[in-house]
Amino acid sequence: EEQVFTRTMYTVDRDKTFEKGTVHSVAHAVIPDQFRDEVLADYCNYIEVDTEKPQNLENTFVISSWAPTAQAPSVKGKLPMLVTYNAEDKLEKEETEWTVTSREAHPCLTTWQMFASNALWPLLQGTRHGQTYFCGSACTPGNGHDLSFLSGLVVASQLGASFPFDYDPKAKADFDRLRSMMFSVWQ
């Protein structure tokens, strides 16, 4: 366990860009006037790069343009739902909601990580007399929210819960595929 935990590297270990984000609705502070309406309606992100220091990337996720709950008629277009990284100076005098972190949210897609997700994490599943299971991005052969969520459902099923989307053949196929990867040693 120790080797897998200590050798798993996350993106913020290498790049602090997404370590701390600010949740807010202050579009005028982070998106220029000439792009604002289009970005808020049709884009998932607005990014500014400092040409002097390209590593100083400012990224605003436009959650309200795509999130299903933000598309409901009672919500759509009422207030921008934004998460902005690396723009503290633009937002310091604005009213914001809270901060979020992406710490340990996204493992680096390295050879080591791919090896661990396919060969080592499966060895750790069900250890300690069947009482310890692992789920999340580090345990999956990719790096996404959907796989992380699905890995939680896989572990829940291992503990006795039923898969809640059995009625959907594609969802069930994804579930079975990931289950076979996560528990390949025990199949």
Coordinates of all heavy atoms in Angstrom, one line a residue, residues 115-126 139 181-186:
F115 N 0.4 1.9 -14.9 CA 0.8 0.6 -14.3 C 0.1 0.3 -13.0 O -0.4 -0.8 -12.8 CB 2.4 0.5 -14.2 CG 2.8 -0.6 -13.4 CD1 2.8 -1.9 -13.9 CD2 3.3 -0.5 -12.1 CE1 3.2 -3.0 -13.2 CE2 3.7 -1.6 -11.3 CZ 3.7 -2.8 -11.9
A116 N 0.1 1.3 -12.1 CA -0.5 1.1 -10.8 C -2.0 0.8 -10.9 O -2.5 -0.1 -10.3 CB -0.2 2.3 -9.9
S117 N -2.7 1.6 -11.8 CA -4.1 1.4 -11.9 C -4.5 0.0 -12.5 O -5.5 -0.5 -12.2 CB -4.8 2.5 -12.7 OG -4.4 2.4 -14.1
N118 N -3.6 -0.5 -13.3 CA -3.9 -1.8 -14.0 C -3.3 -3.0 -13.2 O -3.9 -4.1 -13.4 CB -3.3 -1.8 -15.4 CG -4.2 -1.0 -16.3 OD1 -5.3 -1.3 -16.6 ND2 -3.7 0.2 -16.7
A119 N -2.2 -2.8 -12.5 CA -1.6 -4.0 -11.9 C -1.5 -3.9 -10.3 O -1.7 -4.9 -9.7 CB -0.2 -4.1 -12.4
L120 N -1.3 -2.7 -9.7 CA -1.2 -2.7 -8.3 C -2.4 -2.4 -7.5 O -2.7 -3.1 -6.5 CB -0.1 -1.6 -8.0 CG 1.3 -1.9 -8.6 CD1 2.2 -0.7 -8.2 CD2 1.8 -3.2 -8.1
W121 N -3.2 -1.4 -7.9 CA -4.5 -1.2 -7.2 C -5.4 -2.4 -7.1 O -5.9 -2.7 -6.1 CB -5.2 0.0 -7.8 CG -4.7 1.3 -7.4 CD1 -4.0 2.2 -8.2 CD2 -4.7 2.0 -6.1 NE1 -3.6 3.3 -7.6 CE2 -4.0 3.2 -6.3 CE3 -5.2 1.6 -4.9 CZ2 -3.8 4.1 -5.2 CZ3 -5.0 2.5 -3.8 CH2 -4.4 3.7 -4.0
P122 N -5.5 -3.2 -8.2 CA -6.3 -4.4 -8.1 C -5.8 -5.4 -7.1 O -6.6 -6.1 -6.4 CB -6.2 -5.0 -9.5 CG -6.0 -3.9 -10.4 CD -5.1 -3.0 -9.6
L123 N -4.5 -5.4 -6.8 CA -3.9 -6.3 -5.8 C -4.3 -5.9 -4.4 O -4.4 -6.7 -3.5 CB -2.4 -6.3 -5.8 CG -1.7 -7.0 -7.0 CD1 -0.3 -6.8 -7.1 CD2 -2.0 -8.5 -7.0
L124 N -4.6 -4.6 -4.2 CA -5.0 -4.0 -2.9 C -6.5 -4.1 -2.6 O -6.9 -4.0 -1.5 CB -4.5 -2.6 -2.8 CG -3.0 -2.3 -2.9 CD1 -2.7 -0.8 -2.9 CD2 -2.3 -3.0 -1.8
Q125 N -7.3 -4.4 -3.6 CA -8.7 -4.5 -3.4 C -9.1 -5.7 -2.5 O -8.6 -6.8 -2.8 CB -9.5 -4.6 -4.8 CG -9.2 -3.4 -5.7 CD -9.9 -2.1 -5.2 OE1 -10.4 -2.0 -4.1 NE2 -9.9 -1.1 -6.1
G126 N -9.9 -5.4 -1.5 CA -10.3 -6.5 -0.6 C -9.3 -7.0 0.4 O -9.5 -8.0 1.0
C139 N -7.3 4.9 -8.9 CA -7.6 3.5 -9.1 C -8.1 3.1 -10.5 O -8.4 1.9 -10.7 CB -8.6 3.0 -8.0 SG -8.1 3.4 -6.4
M181 N -11.5 -4.5 -14.5 CA -10.2 -3.9 -14.3 C -9.8 -3.8 -12.9 O -8.7 -4.1 -12.5 CB -10.2 -2.6 -15.0 CG -10.3 -2.6 -16.5 SD -10.3 -0.9 -17.2 CE -10.7 -1.3 -18.9
M182 N -10.7 -3.2 -12.1 CA -10.4 -3.0 -10.7 C -10.2 -4.2 -9.9 O -9.5 -4.2 -8.9 CB -11.5 -2.1 -10.1 CG -11.5 -0.7 -10.6 SD -12.9 0.3 -9.9 CE -12.4 0.4 -8.1
F183 N -10.9 -5.3 -10.3 CA -10.8 -6.5 -9.5 C -10.3 -7.7 -10.3 O -10.6 -8.8 -10.1 CB -12.2 -6.9 -8.9 CG -12.7 -5.9 -7.9 CD1 -13.5 -4.9 -8.2 CD2 -12.3 -6.1 -6.6 CE1 -13.9 -4.0 -7.2 CE2 -12.7 -5.2 -5.6 CZ -13.5 -4.1 -5.9
S184 N -9.4 -7.3 -11.3 CA -8.9 -8.3 -12.2 C -8.2 -9.5 -11.5 O -8.2 -10.6 -12.0 CB -7.9 -7.7 -13.2 OG -6.8 -7.1 -12.5
V185 N -7.5 -9.2 -10.4 CA -6.8 -10.2 -9.6 C -7.8 -11.3 -9.0 O -7.5 -12.4 -8.9 CB -6.0 -9.6 -8.5 CG1 -5.3 -10.6 -7.6 CG2 -4.9 -8.7 -9.1
W186 N -9.0 -10.8 -8.7 CA -9.9 -11.7 -8.0 C -11.0 -12.3 -8.9 O -11.8 -13.0 -8.5 CB -10.6 -10.8 -6.9 CG -9.7 -10.1 -6.1 CD1 -9.4 -8.8 -6.1 CD2 -8.7 -10.6 -5.2 NE1 -8.4 -8.4 -5.2 CE2 -8.0 -9.6 -4.6 CE3 -8.5 -11.9 -4.7 CZ2 -7.0 -9.8 -3.7 CZ3 -7.5 -12.1 -3.8 CH2 -6.8 -11.1 -3.3

